[in-house]
């Protein structure tokens, strides 16, 4: 919709998942930073819906960008891809690849995918501690990578996600990011499965 220079930008994804963590994060960022819609992803296979916000219709899968922020010689821009629906299993790969192709074309630097994670203890009871896990294709120790990006990451208490399965958009982002040489980082926060 708009030609915006996104070289070096950080893309945050927001596709519905466990506990709607991604959707909550994405909506919060778009509203808090008053981001504008710069692009959409559309398909005949998407649900036939229009999302109404403050009386204005929006596509259900859209990309927003914030203002470029410069500190000295360094500039950064945050981009949020938000979906109001969970793509069907047959659409997850094409949607994710379209997003990756777009990010690659725009020369974005990093894709961050927040996700909900269900963790159960040895008795099979869901653990809802405030632990946040991370995994990425940018470093074998993503908590060290994040520590270099955000000064307060140590207070957040990030732990590397060592064993498990990440499915859907976030899983494909990790795998395809390696092939496309795009930096991808998943942040996994414990959430109630419902």
């Amino acid at each position: 919709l708009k030609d915006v220079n996104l070289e070096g930008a950080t893309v945050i994804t927001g596709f519905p998942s466990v506990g709607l963590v991604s959707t909550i994060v994405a909506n919060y960022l778009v509203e808090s930073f008053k981001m504008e819609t710069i692009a959409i992803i559309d398909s005949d296979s998407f649900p036939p819906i229009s999302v109404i916000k403050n009386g204005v219709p929006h596509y259900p899968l859209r990309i927003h960008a914030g203002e470029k922020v410069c500190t000295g010689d360094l500039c950064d821009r945050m981009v949020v891809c938000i979906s109001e629906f969970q793509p069907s299993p047959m659409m997850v790969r094409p949607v994710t690849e379209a997003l990756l192709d777009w990010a690659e074309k725009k020369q974005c630097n990093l894709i961050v995918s927040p996700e909900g994670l269900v963790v159960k203890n040895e008795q099979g009871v869901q653990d809802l501690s405030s632990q946040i896990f991370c995994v990425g294709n940018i470093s074998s120790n993503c908590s060290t990578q994040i520590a270099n990006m955000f000064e307060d990451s140590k207070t957040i208490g990030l732990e590397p996600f060592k064993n498990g399965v990440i499915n859907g958009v976030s899983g494909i982002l990790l795998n395809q990011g390696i092939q496309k040489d795009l930096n991808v980082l998943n942040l996994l926060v414990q959430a109630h499965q419902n």
Side-chain angles (χ1 to χ4, degrees), residues 14-16 40-43 46-51 57-64 81-86:
F15 288 83
I40 60 162
I41 300 175
D42 198 15
S43 168
F46 288 178
I49 60 172
S50 179
V51 178
H58 297 277
Y59 280 84
L61 181 48
R62 56 204 179 277
I63 299 172
H64 302 269
C81 177
I82 186 167
S83 175
E84 304 292 346
F85 67 96
Q86 177 64 46

Side-chain angles (χ1 to χ4, degrees), residues 95-116:
V95 166
T96 306
E97 288 176 352
L99 176 60
L100 282 165
D101 289 344
W102 179 85
E104 183 179 39
K105 178 182 170 188
K106 290 293 191 177
Q107 300 177 330
C108 297
N109 183 50
L110 173 67
I111 299 175
V112 178
S113 184
E115 279 290 329

Side-chain angles (χ1 to χ4, degrees), residues 26-99:
N27 276 299
Y28 174 80
L29 292 172
V30 168
E31 291 174 20
S32 294
F33 292 100
K34 297 178 177 38
M35 295 181 168
E36 66 175 328
T37 306
I38 61 165
I40 60 162
I41 300 175
D42 198 15
S43 168
D44 290 340
S45 300
F46 288 178
I49 60 172
S50 179
V51 178
I52 311 301
K53 292 191 177 228
N54 296 320
V56 178
H58 297 277
Y59 280 84
L61 181 48
R62 56 204 179 277
I63 299 172
H64 302 269
E67 294 293 322
K68 185 181 273 190
V69 177
C70 296
T71 307
D73 293 339
L74 299 174
C75 293
D76 197 9
R77 174 173 264 153
M78 184 173 21
V79 176
V80 176
C81 177
I82 186 167
S83 175
E84 304 292 346
F85 67 96
Q86 177 64 46
S88 69
M90 295 301 293
M91 287 302 299
V92 171
R93 184 172 298 279
V95 166
T96 306
E97 288 176 352
L99 176 60

